[in-house]
C-alpha cells in the first residue's frame, strides 16, 4: 500500500467486520525516538489464541468470500521492512488491539497519507461508530471524537453529505496543523509531511 | 497560523443539514463501495471521496456507505447503486476518474453505464 493511512483503513475495516462499536485510533510520531506508532483498539468479537497465532499467515482468514487474508500480512511486511513490527493482542468477546511500529525516518516507510480520508471512510462504514482519534507529532496533539461531534449535531446524522464534507476538512486541517513549522523556525520545508491526496 | 475549523462552526451546518435531510429521505439512492483489502489497494477510498465530491458539486443527495470484501477481488474498486424500484447495479473497476461520468449518467440521466456493469440484481419483490 502506498500510504500508511490505507493500512490503517484496512485494520479498521477488520474491526468493523468483527462487529466493533468502539474504535480507538492513535498515531504517535515520536521524532526524538525516531518512531512512528499506529494503534487501533476495537471492542469487536476478538480472536481466540489459535486464530491469533495464525493471523500473520496469509492463508488465515475467516472470510468466506476468499481463501486468503491479506490485511495483516501486508501491514506486518510494511512494518518489518522499516525496522518495526506488528503486535496484536486479542480477547474473544472483548476486542482486539493492533499496534504497528515503524522507524519514522526509514527510507522505505510509506507516507502517512490521507488519514482524514481514512477516518471519514470509517465513519461512513458505520455512522453510529464510537470513533476516537488521537494524533501526536512531537509535542503537538490533535484529539477527535465522533461522540463529541454527534452531540453538536443533535438529530443530524454524521453521514449526511455536507456534514461529512465538513468533517473531512475539519480533520485534514487539524492534522495538517500538527506539521506546521513556527514562523521563527529557520527551515520551514524540513520534516513537513503533506496531507494532500 | 491559518484558522482551523472548530466544532462551533457545526451549528450553522446543522441548521442547513436539517433541510438537506428532508431532500435525502425522499431521494433514497444508496451508493455502496467495497472496502476490503483488495478494494482499498485498488483505490476504493479515492473512489468514495470522488463520489462525495461529485455529489456535493451537483448538490445531489445519496446515502454513501461501504461494505467489506464480496469476493470479486479482480474487479475492484466495486460500486453498487441501489434505487427504489430499480435493479441493483454493480460497477467494476470504478476508479475515481470514472466517477464524474457514473454520477452524470446513472444518477442524473437515469441511464446505466453498461460497459462498466459487472453485476445486476432485480429488486426483491419483483
Ligand atoms: N480486529 C479484529 N477482530 C477480530 N478478528 C480479526 C480482527 N482483525 C483480523 N481478524 C481475523 O483475522 C483474519 C485475518 O485478517 P486479515 O486482515 O489478514 O485478512 P481478512 O480480513 O480475512 O481478509 P482481507 O484483509 O485480505 O480482506 C480475519 O479473517 C479475522 O478472522
Ligand atoms: Mg482484513
Amino acid at each position: 500500500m502506498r500510504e500508511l493511512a490505507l493500512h490503517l483503513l484496512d485494520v479498521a475495516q477488520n474491526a468493523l467486520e468483527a462487529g466493533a462499536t468502539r474504535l480507538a485510533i492513535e498515531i504517535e510520531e515520536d521524532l526524538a525516538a525516531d518512531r512512528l506508532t499506529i494503534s487501533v483498539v476495537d471492542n469487536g468479537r476478538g480472536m481466540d489464541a489459535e486464530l491469533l497465532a495464525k493471523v500473520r499467515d496469509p492463508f488465515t482468514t475467516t472470510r468466506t468470500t476468499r481463501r486468503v487474508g491479506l490485511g495483516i500480512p501486508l501491514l506486518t511486511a510494511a512494518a518489518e521492512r522499516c525496522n518495526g513490527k506488528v503486535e496484536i493482542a486479542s480477547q474473544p468477546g472483548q476486542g482486539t488491539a493492533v499496534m504497528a511500529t515503524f522507524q519514522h525516518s526509514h527510507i522505505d516507510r510509506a507516507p502517512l497519507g490521507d488519514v482524514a480520508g481514512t477516518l471519514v471512510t470509517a465513519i461512513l462504514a458505520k455512522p453510529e461508530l464510537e470513533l476516537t482519534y488521537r494524533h501526536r507529532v512531537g509535542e503537538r496533539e490533535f484529539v477527535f471524537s465522533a461522540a463529541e461531534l454527534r452531540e453538536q449535531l443533535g438529530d443530524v446524522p454524521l453521514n449526511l453529505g455536507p456534514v461529512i464534507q465538513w468533517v473531512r476538512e475539519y480533520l485534514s486541517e487539524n492534522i495538517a496543523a500538527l506539521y506546521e513549522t513556527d514562523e521563527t523556525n529557520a527551515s520551514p520545508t524540513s520534516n513537513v509531511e503533506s496531507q494532500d491526496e | 497560523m491559518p484558522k482551523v475549523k472548530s466544532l462551533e462552526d457545526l451549528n450553522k451546518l446543522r441548521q442547513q443539514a436539517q433541510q438537506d435531510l428532508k431532500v435525502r429521505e425522499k431521494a433514497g439512492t444508496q451508493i455502496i463501495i467495497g472496502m476490503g483489502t483488495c478494494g482499498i489497494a485498488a483505490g476504493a477510498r479515492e473512489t468514495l471521496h470522488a463520489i462525495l465530491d461529485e455529489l456535493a458539486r451537483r448538490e445531489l443527495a445519496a446515502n454513501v456507505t461501504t461494505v467489506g470484501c464480496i469476493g470479486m477481488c479482480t474487479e475492484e474498486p466495486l460500486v453498487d447503486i441501489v434505487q427504489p424500484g430499480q435493479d441493483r447495479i454493480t460497477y467494476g473497476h470504478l476508479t475515481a476518474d470514472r466517477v464524474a461520468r457514473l454520477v452524470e449518467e446513472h444518477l442524473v440521466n437515469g441511464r446505466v453505464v453498461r460497459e462498466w456493469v459487472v453485476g445486476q440484481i432485480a429488486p426483491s419483490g419483483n
Side-chain angles (χ1 to χ4, degrees):
Chain A
M1 304 252 184
R2 59 208 177 276
E3 297 176 15
L4 296 186
L6 291 174
H7 284 292
L8 174 60
L9 179 55
D10 203 21
V11 174
Q13 195 69 39
N14 281 346
L16 294 176
E17 277 162 35
T21 57
R22 272 204 315 275
L23 191 61
I25 298 174
E26 282 195 31
I27 297 180
E28 164 130 40
E29 298 183 56
D30 185 337
L31 303 173
D34 194 16
R35 199 112 288 261
L36 187 153
T37 308
I38 298 177
S39 97
V40 180
V41 180
D42 71 61
N43 69 342
R45 83 171 70 88
M47 288 174 267
D48 59 23
E50 196 191 337
L51 179 57
L52 188 56
K54 292 190 307 191
V55 86
R56 277 190 186 75
D57 175 353
F59 292 97
T60 298
T61 182
T62 54
R63 66 166 66 266
T64 50
T65 49
R66 165 158 44 85
R67 300 250 288 286
V68 296
L70 297 170
I72 304 284
L74 280 175
L75 174 63
T76 306
E80 287 177 353
R81 215 165 35 234
C82 303
N83 298 328
K85 60 182 175 202
V86 172
E87 289 173 283
I88 307 173
S90 194
Q91 277 294 328
Q94 304 283 306
T96 301
V98 177
M99 192 169 94
T101 54
F102 301 81
Q103 183 190 331
H104 197 289
S105 65
H106 199 284
I107 184 93
D108 291 328
R109 183 180 67 78
L112 220 35
D114 184 11
V115 179
T118 283
L119 296 172
V120 160
T121 305
I123 291 172
L124 289 176
K126 196 167 192 171
E128 70 280 13
L129 183 69
E130 294 290 331
L131 175 69
T132 58
Y133 177 66
R134 178 195 295 271
H135 190 156
R136 251 173 285 168
V137 181
E139 302 287 291
R140 298 191 194 178
E141 183 178 64
F142 167 61
V143 181
F144 168 82
S145 132
E148 207 179 316
L149 212 64
R150 260 187 229 108
E151 219 168 275
Q152 305 270 337
L153 283 168
D155 53 351
V156 173
L158 264 184
N159 63 342
L160 200 67
V163 175
I164 203 70
Q165 292 286 36
W166 185 92
V167 172
R168 180 184 174 188
E169 282 165 32
Y170 173 76
L171 289 170
S172 39
E173 283 177 18
N174 278 283
I175 293 169
L178 292 170
Y179 300 94
E180 252 147 45
T181 44
D182 302 329
E183 276 90 314
T184 50
N185 196 314
S187 112
T189 51
S190 70
N191 260 326
V192 178
E193 197 172 332
S194 168
Q195 292 296 314
D196 295 339
E197 288 142 273
Chain B
M1 208 42 194
K3 202 178 162 297
V4 168
K5 283 194 167 48
S6 77
L7 288 181
E8 282 75 58
D9 305 339
L10 267 181
N11 241 331
K12 229 186 308 158
L13 189 68
R14 175 183 167 176
Q15 283 157 17
Q16 180 201 326
Q18 263 151 348
Q19 281 306 109
D20 295 347
L21 201 56
K22 293 184 198 120
V23 180
R24 186 171 66 155
E25 271 162 7
K26 259 188 289 168
T29 296
Q30 235 190 314
I31 305 177
I32 306 154
I33 300 123
M35 211 52 75
T37 302
C38 301
I40 294 169
R45 191 195 58 186
E46 286 68 24
T47 295
L48 181 147
H49 284 97
I51 289 172
L52 293 178
D53 288 343
E54 196 61 22
L55 291 175
R57 201 173 67 76
R58 291 176 172 273
E59 296 183 9
L60 293 171
N63 189 356
V64 180
T65 188
T66 72
V67 67
C69 170
I70 59 162
M72 288 202 281
C73 302
T74 58
E75 312 275 4
E76 300 275 6
L78 290 166
V79 174
D80 277 30
I81 300 186
V82 186
Q83 288 175 310
Q86 305 288 318
D87 286 5
R88 176 184 183 130
I89 304 291
T90 303
Y91 290 106
H93 303 287
L94 215 293
T95 41
D97 55 310
R98 291 182 161 182
V99 165
R101 184 173 155 209
L102 176 76
V103 169
E104 160 132 24
E105 297 217 10
H106 195 128
L107 298 187
V108 179
N109 301 330
R111 268 201 312 266
V112 173
V113 189
R114 283 286 150 214
E115 71 228 66
W116 296 342
V117 172
V118 295
Q120 181 160 359
I121 307 170
S124 44
N126 248 19

